[in-house]
Amino acid sequence: MEQVFARPKCMFPTPYHYCPGCDHGVVHRLVAEVIDELDLAKKTIGVAPVGCAVFAFDYIDVDFNQAAHGRAPAVATGIKRVRPECIVFTYQGDGDLAAIGTAEIVHAANRGENITVIFVNNAIYGMTGGQMAPTSLIGMKTQTSPYGRDAAQCGYPIRVSEMLAVLEGTTFIQRVAVNNPANLMRAKKAIKQAFTIQKENKGFSMVEVVSTCPTNWGKAPNDAHKWLEENMLPVFPLGVFKDKTGITTS
């Protein structure tokens, strides 16, 4: 009988530091499974962010570089240009990618850099205590928007996938979630497609994962996933926003 719960080969047996109910651990596992299935571990280089996933290198057993806050796409660009035979991916949260790193992600995407971006969007700054992020919803209460996000003062949630999909340099953009088994399988398929696109030298790919932050949302894990379904998914709808390749993955 197949042991379906076995740890991926390229994952360290290290307990996660993430809060109960956080989806980062699930996304880490999906990335590791894809790296194993595509036999990429020996030539993969990850770029860790500043944020809750700052210690991604403690969990995924591939070479890693640590980037300054928001600069992961720039670091990944440099690595990929020097080592084009390697598979280079960034793993970033919404504060890292969509706030301080907006310029880096937009221009890396627009140049069509042959890198893969895993973007975890939980609509809040997790590591630094729950401040409003560029993806925080209208009316969402955070440490820096205690009365709820006001569009007149703070603007609207940035839909990164839609924004990058219109750039000529992007190849594959998909938004997924891991809140239930069906969405989890779709998420893995999207991540596998993104890595395959890079492997085949077909350009820039990004998978956005709509995620939970139970601690800073002030919710139990199950309630956080319910809140995600009822509030985040209407604002950040799931789906493929761009695919210029026609690649399909199983």
Side-chain angles (χ1 to χ4, degrees):
M1 180 179 295
E2 183 180 1
Q3 187 181 22
V4 297
F5 55 86
R7 186 180 72 250
K9 292 180 181 178
C10 74
M11 287 203 81
F12 291 116
T14 305
Y16 287 136
H17 74 280
Y18 300 116
C19 300
C22 174
D23 287 336
H24 272 300
V26 178
V27 183
H28 283 359
R29 182 184 174 96
L30 295 183
V31 171
E33 288 179 355
V34 166
I35 291 172
D36 280 353
E37 290 173 12
L38 295 177
D39 193 25
L40 298 176
K42 291 183 179 180
K43 63 177 183 178
T44 294
I45 301 174
V47 183
V50 172
C52 289
V54 65
F55 300 123
F57 45 76
D58 281 343
Y59 309 118
I60 303 175
D61 187 10
V62 299
D63 287 338
F64 260 95
N65 273 257
Q66 180 68 58
H69 202 183
R71 315 309 178 203
V75 174
T77 294
I79 295 170
K80 186 68 178 184
R81 291 190 179 194
V82 173
R83 297 291 302 274
E85 76 281 5
C86 292
I87 299 297
V88 183
F89 77 97
T90 72
Y91 188 102
Q92 302 176 258
D94 46 273
D96 185 83
L97 181 144
I100 194 170
T102 311
E104 279 71 17
I105 192 63
V106 168
H107 290 290
N110 194 50
R111 293 192 304 266
E113 300 292 345
N114 191 35
I115 62 174
T116 300
V117 174
I118 307 300
F119 168 41
V120 180
N121 173 13
N122 57 20
I124 203 164
Y125 278 82
M127 184 180 72
T128 53
Q131 296 88 350
M132 186 183 70
T135 53
S136 296
L137 308 183
I138 297 300
M140 187 172 177
K141 294 181 179 181
T142 73
Q143 292 294 328
T144 49
S145 58
Y147 302 106
R149 180 174 186 164
D150 180 1
Q153 295 291 326
C154 306
Y156 294 87
I158 295 178
R159 295 179 174 90
V160 175
S161 288
E162 290 88 333
M163 179 174 67
L164 298 187
V166 302
L167 300 177
E168 292 185 19
T170 54
T171 299
F172 177 73
I173 307 288
Q174 183 170 350
R175 182 183 291 127
V176 300
V178 292
N179 59 307
N180 59 47
N183 280 342
L184 188 147
M185 295 304 293
R186 294 186 189 100
K188 180 178 177 180
K189 183 177 180 181
I191 293 170
K192 190 171 185 178
Q193 183 162 346
F195 275 84
T196 300
I197 285 167
Q198 183 180 169
K199 183 180 178 182
E200 298 185 2
N201 298 310
K202 294 188 175 180
F204 181 93
S205 57
M206 186 186 79
V207 177
E208 176 181 352
V209 185
V210 182
S211 181
T212 58
C213 185
T215 296
N216 288 301
W217 290 0
K219 299 182 183 300
N222 287 340
D223 292 336
H225 277 115
K226 183 179 180 181
W227 193 90
L228 178 148
E229 293 170 3
E230 294 177 350
N231 296 276
M232 287 193 69
L233 296 188
V235 177
F236 299 106
L238 307 184
V240 178
F241 293 91
K242 190 171 191 178
D243 184 0
K244 297 198 299 188
T245 68
I247 294 174
T248 56
T249 56
S250 58

